[in-house]
Amino acid sequence: MDRPGFTTSLVVACLIRVPSEVVKQRAQVSASLRTFQIFSNILYQEGIQGLYRGYKSTVLREIPFSLVQFPLWESLKALWSWRQDHVVDSWQSAVCGAFAGGFAAAVTTPLDVAKTRIMLAKAGSSTASGNVLSALHGVWRTQGLSGLFAGVFPRMAAISLGGFIFLGAYDQTRSLLLELGKESP
């Protein structure tokens, strides 16, 4: 990525994303507890660090995801523009965003699986320590390749939809702002 501070913004965003993800994932596996109970239990049993379990693995997933998604999105838009001999419309940018997001989701699924295992591991276990390579190795050893890509299709679908909406809306907003800038004195 050629934008200064891109990695920094991902790292900072994870400061908010990770605690909510930890609570959400634990709520999904213990549906009988309310969200506030889960949040309170984490703080009581593990302290504030319990809310940030999986922080490193989340960052290690987000950086390669973004390094795949955004350049691929730009390349797909450039290819489509070249093929039709004019700049892509916002809906075409959205389609490119969906493909780029889905592909990035697929190739980073093993990192997502490791992150999930780390976040959901029993406090004090070796997996809970946050070692991504160890978590990946454990999944590989017990479940093989299918374990590393568990949930790949729902992940691709959700992120493709997100890429379509977010990157399409981004492109539309960018186009509108550029047009407004041309009209202003």
Side-chain angles (χ1 to χ4, degrees):
M1 305 291 319
D2 61 336
R3 293 176 184 99
F6 180 76
T7 302
T8 303
S9 66
L10 283 174
V11 170
V12 171
C14 286
L15 288 173
I16 296 164
R17 183 178 300 139
V18 170
S20 63
E21 185 77 6
V22 168
V23 172
K24 178 197 80 159
Q25 288 187 350
R26 292 191 190 181
Q28 290 173 338
V29 297
S30 59
S32 63
L33 295 177
R34 292 197 166 137
T35 303
F36 185 74
Q37 288 175 303
I38 293 167
F39 178 79
S40 297
N41 287 348
I42 293 169
L43 286 177
Y44 179 74
Q45 295 169 1
E46 301 176 57
I48 194 80
Q49 63 268 29
L51 291 172
Y52 286 94
R53 185 184 317 157
Y55 178 80
K56 289 185 287 186
S57 59
T58 302
V59 171
L60 288 173
R61 177 199 66 183
E62 290 298 315
I63 292 173
F65 176 89
S66 296
L67 289 173
V68 171
Q69 182 188 33
F70 291 114
L72 181 56
W73 175 54
E74 293 290 350
S75 296
L76 290 170
K77 289 190 315 177
L79 178 62
W80 201 336
S81 294
W82 175 74
R83 296 276 302 188
Q84 68 185 10
D85 206 26
H86 64 83
V87 175
V88 294
D89 296 323
S90 294
W91 73 267
Q92 293 169 317
S93 177
V95 170
C96 293
F99 278 106
F103 182 78
V107 299
T108 58
T109 293
L111 295 172
D112 189 59
V113 168
K115 174 206 64 84
T116 302
R117 297 289 176 102
I118 289 166
M119 286 181 171
L120 294 177
K122 183 177 177 167
S125 68
S126 62
T127 304
S129 71
N131 185 317
V132 175
L133 289 178
S134 176
L136 288 169
H137 186 290
V139 173
W140 172 259
R141 201 175 58 247
T142 59
Q143 296 175 285
L145 195 59
S146 64
L148 291 173
F149 285 91
V152 66
F153 294 115
R155 178 171 156 74
M156 287 173 63
I159 292 175
S160 290
L161 180 60
F164 183 90
I165 294 168
F166 174 75
L167 295 173
Y170 168 82
D171 203 66
Q172 179 66 41
T173 303
R174 183 178 175 276
S175 296
L176 290 172
L177 291 174
L178 287 172
E179 282 299 314
L180 286 173
K182 289 179 185 175
E183 294 173 7
S184 311

